Structures are given as C-alpha cells and as structure tokens.
Amino acid sequence: AQTVTQSQPEMSVQEAETVTLSCTYDTSESDYYLFWYKQPPSRQMILVIRQEAYKQQNATENRFSVNFQKAAKSFSLKISDSQLGDAAMYFCAYRSRENYGGATNKLIFGTGTLLAVQP
Amino acid sequence: SAVISQKPSRDICQRGTSLTIQCQVDSQVTMMFWYRQQPGQSLTLIATANQGSEATYESGFVIDKFPISRPNLTFSTLTVSNMSPEDSSIYLCSGYTGNGYTFGSGTRLTVV
C-alpha cells in the first residue's frame, strides 16, 4: 500500500522569504500523480500544484514550485516570496494513475505541515 | 471547477443519536469521497461512493456506522450513526470529475 510522509509538522517563514516543505512517499507503482493542497483555517482544501510522475519537468504555479525526485520518491514544495495569505496547513497527496486493484482514484494524504508566515 | 456545498457546517449532538451530512455539487462528479479529519491532522478516507452502487469502505470503517447515500451524480450523504464522543471530528466530502478534485468546507461534529 502507498504511504505519504511529511516529516515537518510545523514550519515558519518570514514574509517575502522562501520556504521548502518536504514530502516523501512509498509506492511500487511507476505511474501516479502527486499533489500539494493548502488548507487554511476555513477548512477549504485548495489545490496548490500537481505533478504527473511520467513528466520529468518539475511543475510550477506562480510562486509555487516542486522538486520531484522520482528515484528518491521525494516531492518537496517551494514557496517563494512568502505572503501572509500562505499561512495554512499544507498536505502532500498521492494518487494512482490507473485503477490498480480497485484504487478508484482515491487520494492518500500525508500528515500535513502547518506553515506560519511571520510579518 | 465544481463547487460543493456541505451542510451542516457544524453541529453538537447527543451520544446515541445520528447525524446526516449532505454534500451538493453544482456539476456532475464521477466519484464522491468521504473523509474524517481531526483538527490539525491529516484526512482519513472513510469510503468512496459511486452512483447506484454500494460505497466502498476503508479498513476500520463499516456501513452500519457510516451509511452513505449517492442517489445521483451531484449529491451524496454520510450518516454518522449511534454517535459517541470518539466520533467528534471534522467530516469532509470530495468530488472527483476527471479533471481534478473539489472539496466541501467540512462539518465540525461534536458529540456530548
């Protein structure tokens, strides 16, 4: 079974600085998706960025970028020019690309990293 | 992207009673997922619901405790039955459209 690990329960960054959130995962599959979600106090889950495992190029979305290391099964999120609105819980998530044994597109979430942004 | 309206947003319930949580999507979704989340912790999948078939439950969750309804492609309910204080948690629904996932804003349940 796949597992997702986020080793940093809490992180803090100064406004306008850069911070990197770590995520590792374990899988025997060769094709899958990886996601970073943001959950502010409102509880609304917001997609930050998505990476397809078969793509070697790291995904980027404005100030957010990932460092995807498939061999190392690592998927870190870099937030540049941090803003106060970036403060939230961040979850790394995994999804099989195909329905292996009835996987049914479910997301497997990591334990989360609570990011604080200091003014 | 699809928008999910989840109700109620919070509730305080007596032990032994049941609560039904509703999720209405503004467009059709292929699958609905129901999660439980302790405050400040990760999301644990309870079950996956497809239209017209029984939900598929994850290990540790059973249909008698968490019956799910999925009458069409835009609506689903989760019932938390015979509640105890251990059921106090946040419950979230999520819809999958093929283009991605959308989430409800959660139901904070407190059982007293």
Side-chain angles (χ1 to χ4, degrees):
Chain A
Q2 297 83 21
T3 58
V4 179
T5 302
Q6 294 177 248
S7 59
Q8 306 154 315
E10 297 182 12
M11 292 283 284
S12 182
V13 63
Q14 291 291 128
E15 198 174 3
E17 297 295 309
T18 296
V19 64
T20 298
L21 308 184
S22 301
C23 173
T24 58
Y25 58 94
D26 187 26
T27 184
S28 59
E29 298 169 352
S30 60
D31 205 4
Y32 45 86
Y33 297 102
L34 295 165
F35 306 82
W36 278 99
Y37 280 93
K38 169 185 176 181
Q39 187 181 42
S42 67
R43 298 198 301 257
Q44 188 67 52
M45 295 286 281
I46 302 165
L47 177 65
V48 175
I49 203 164
R50 181 180 107 155
Q51 176 79 43
E52 295 164 338
Y54 68 89
K55 291 186 177 179
Q56 292 185 335
Q57 185 174 9
N58 289 324
T60 63
E61 285 289 340
N62 300 314
R63 298 183 294 108
F64 300 88
S65 61
V66 297
N67 183 6
F68 173 48
Q69 301 290 328
K70 190 173 183 180
K73 296 179 182 175
S74 172
F75 183 62
S76 60
L77 174 69
K78 185 172 81 172
I79 305 174
S80 304
D81 185 25
S82 296
Q83 301 176 0
L84 295 177
D86 294 334
M89 181 73 90
Y90 285 80
F91 291 101
C92 179
Y94 173 102
R95 197 208 102 183
S96 298
R97 186 176 176 85
E98 298 295 336
N99 284 337
Y100 294 108
T104 64
N105 301 313
K106 62 183 179 182
L107 290 172
I108 300 169
F109 286 92
T111 49
T113 296
L114 183 61
L115 178 66
V117 181
Q118 307 299 330
Chain B
S1 60
V3 175
I4 296 181
S5 173
Q6 183 171 345
K7 295 179 180 179
S9 60
R10 60 177 59 225
D11 208 341
I12 301 173
C13 300
Q14 296 291 323
R15 68 178 66 197
T17 63
S18 298
L19 175 72
T20 296
I21 302 167
Q22 299 181 359
C23 282
Q24 178 72 56
V25 195
D26 66 352
S27 60
Q28 294 182 346
V29 295
T30 308
M31 294 176 183
M32 292 286 291
F33 302 92
W34 287 95
Y35 294 90
R36 185 168 70 184
Q37 183 183 26
Q38 297 293 343
Q41 297 188 21
S42 186
L43 285 74
T44 300
L45 182 64
I46 297 171
T48 303
N50 292 319
Q51 183 200 7
S53 62
E54 264 195 19
T56 301
Y57 288 82
E58 298 297 306
S59 176
F61 298 96
V62 295
I63 188 171
D64 290 345
K65 177 67 175 177
F66 298 101
I68 288 171
S69 166
R70 181 90 198 274
N72 56 54
L73 293 175
T74 63
F75 186 78
S76 180
T77 67
L78 170 77
T79 299
V80 186
S81 304
N82 188 25
M83 289 183 284
S84 66
E86 292 70 36
D87 294 320
S88 297
S89 190
I90 297 167
Y91 293 85
L92 290 109
C93 63
S94 174
Y96 175 69
T97 64
N99 289 328
Y101 299 84
T102 188
F103 290 82
S105 54
T107 296
R108 182 183 288 270
L109 170 63
T110 302
V111 184
V112 298

